[in-house]
């Protein structure tokens, strides 16, 4: 067995090499930004995971938990249950901190055809409509990359219709601008490869339809087979006797519970169980979170 010699009280003591590695009571983590600036040094349990570090950094710097990803050498740490120490080891060389580089993400709408999202189910093949093309209708260079709703100056029904007509030649008529919900199956969206941590899900509906006001059930799935309910959205109603061209389009969201936001979701589904054929039509669907 290999032996390590150490000097203690003037005498030579001999101990096995395995004891030269110290099982620490805590794991010291040093975090820097991509530019090299130090974020801080934190002490965590030796078996700490990404979720634990996110909690500490969020409390210290007020950065959203799920916006945080970390790089340790060639390892990318972005899943909640990933261990921070290499291979989940709780034993590190004494005095050696774990160095991580923090990469902060920004909220984005991941329900975009340009990013790889697509419609499935009964709406398969309807991707040419604006439903998953919010970035085509309102490009980031003109409207900002944190725009997750129709801008106020374009919310009047007639103004949005004219804006979409200018955005794409194929969207010249309202039947090409709006996606009519199917009689059965609702809206099923497959998000881009890898999925995303979703924070909120919503849609913009048409002021030309008078049968709104019913509840929409929102669900998510990591594999398209097992579904978890996020919550319900009460679809906005059109005011009685109002002229549709004088009414603003309405956008509604539901917040994703933390337990579901912590897992990367690959699918989302919107269901109106009490919808009559042709009663509901949507302009856009949004899935806001961190890819």
């Amino acid at each position: 067995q290999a032996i390590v010699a150490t000097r203690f009280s003037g005498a030579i003591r001999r101990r096995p090499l395995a004891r030269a590695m110290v099982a620490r009571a805590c794991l010291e983590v040093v975090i820097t930004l991509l530019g090299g600036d130090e974020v801080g040094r934190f002490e965590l349990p030796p078996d700490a995971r990404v979720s634990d570090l996110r909690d500490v950094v969020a409390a210290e710097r007020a950065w959203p938990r799920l916006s945080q990803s970390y790089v340790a050498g060639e390892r990318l740490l972005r899943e909640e249950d990933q261990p921070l120490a290499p291979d989940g080891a709780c034993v590190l060389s004494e005095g050696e901190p774990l160095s991580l580089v923090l990469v902060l993400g920004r909220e984005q709408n991941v329900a975009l055809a340009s990013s790889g999202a697509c419609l499935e189910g009964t709406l398969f093949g309807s991707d040419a409509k604006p439903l998953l093309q919010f970035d085509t209708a309102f490009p980031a260079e003109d409207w900002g990359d944190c725009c997750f709703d129709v801008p106020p100056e374009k919310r009047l029904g007639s103004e949005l219709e004219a804006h979409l007509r200018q955005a794409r030649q194929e969207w010249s008529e309202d039947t090409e601008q709006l996606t009519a919900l199917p009689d059965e199956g609702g809206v099923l969206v497959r998000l881009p490869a890898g999925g995303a941590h979703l924070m909120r899900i919503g849609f913009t509906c048409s002021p030309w339809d008078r049968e709104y006001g019913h509840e929409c059930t929102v669900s998510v799935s990591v594999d398209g087979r097992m579904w978890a309910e996020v919550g319900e959205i009460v679809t906005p109603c059109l005011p009685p006797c109002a002229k549709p061209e004088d009414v603003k389009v309405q956008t509604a969201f539901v917040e994703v519970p933390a337990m579901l936001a912590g897992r990367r979701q690959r699918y989302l589904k919107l269901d109106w169980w009490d919808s009559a054929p042709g009663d509901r039509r949507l302009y856009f669907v949004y899935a806001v979170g961190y890819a």
Side-chain angles (χ1 to χ4, degrees):
Q1 186 177 25
I3 300 296
V4 174
T6 59
R7 187 170 298 278
F8 179 75
S9 299
I12 297 294
R13 304 185 66 183
R14 302 171 72 85
R15 57 194 174 103
L17 180 62
R19 295 185 179 276
M21 304 296 287
V22 178
R24 300 160 138 195
C26 65
L27 175 65
E28 183 183 5
V29 179
V30 178
I31 301 175
T32 59
L33 297 174
L34 284 172
D37 294 335
E38 185 173 303
V39 174
R41 294 172 178 258
F42 305 93
E43 291 186 349
L44 297 167
D47 58 348
R49 299 181 179 273
V50 170
S51 58
D52 302 314
L53 183 57
R54 283 174 169 166
D55 288 338
V56 172
V57 174
E60 180 79 14
R61 292 299 187 96
W63 288 326
R65 293 183 70 262
L66 296 176
S67 71
Q68 305 169 30
S69 296
Y70 295 90
V71 177
E74 296 182 353
R75 295 190 305 138
L76 175 61
L77 305 173
R78 67 177 188 177
E79 305 303 335
E80 288 274 85
D81 59 352
Q82 278 183 277
L84 295 179
D87 301 321
C90 296
V91 180
L92 295 172
S93 299
E94 188 174 12
E96 178 187 353
L98 177 63
S99 297
L100 300 177
V101 177
L102 170 61
V103 181
L104 284 172
R106 289 185 299 178
E107 276 193 340
Q108 57 183 295
N109 177 19
V110 296
L112 296 175
S114 61
S115 299
C118 64
L119 293 166
E120 294 195 346
T122 51
L123 289 179
F124 178 79
S126 301
D127 299 296
K129 293 193 174 186
L131 196 67
L132 301 183
Q133 295 197 54
F134 184 82
D135 56 340
T136 300
F138 297 98
E141 56 267 25
D142 298 329
W143 301 92
D145 54 7
C146 292
C147 180
F148 307 130
D149 189 3
V150 176
E153 59 267 38
K154 298 295 181 183
R155 288 179 186 169
L156 200 63
S158 55
E159 292 176 349
L160 179 57
E161 183 180 29
H163 176 80
L164 293 178
R165 191 180 298 118
Q166 293 180 346
R168 285 194 64 176
Q169 184 177 0
E170 296 86 345
W171 297 343
S172 59
E173 301 293 335
D174 67 334
T175 54
E176 299 160 341
Q177 298 177 359
L178 289 157
T179 300
L181 301 183
D183 298 345
E184 297 180 359
V187 178
L188 176 59
V189 180
R190 175 162 56 87
L191 299 176
H197 293 291
L198 301 179
M199 307 303 293
R200 57 191 185 278
I201 298 169
F203 55 81
T204 298
C205 53
S206 165
W208 278 265
D209 298 328
R210 295 182 177 273
E211 299 300 327
Y212 286 98
H214 299 290
E215 292 179 346
C216 165
T217 302
V218 181
S219 306
V220 293
S221 173
V222 298
D223 57 9
R225 295 188 295 272
M226 300 293 291
W227 292 87
E229 185 173 321
V230 171
E232 294 181 335
I233 300 174
V234 177
T235 317
C237 293
L238 184 71
C241 304
K243 295 181 179 179
E245 59 271 18
D246 296 332
V247 176
K248 292 183 178 181
V249 297
Q250 300 282 341
T251 298
F253 281 95
V254 62
E255 299 291 326
V256 178
M259 182 178 66
L260 297 177
R263 300 189 66 188
R264 287 184 170 273
Q265 307 294 340
R266 188 71 198 282
Y267 296 84
L268 68 88
K269 184 167 56 174
L270 308 175
D271 283 309
W272 283 264
W273 300 108
D274 55 355
S275 175
D279 277 352
R280 290 168 177 76
R281 296 180 294 173
L282 303 181
Y283 277 111
F284 305 108
V285 166
Y286 313 90
V288 180
Y290 301 97

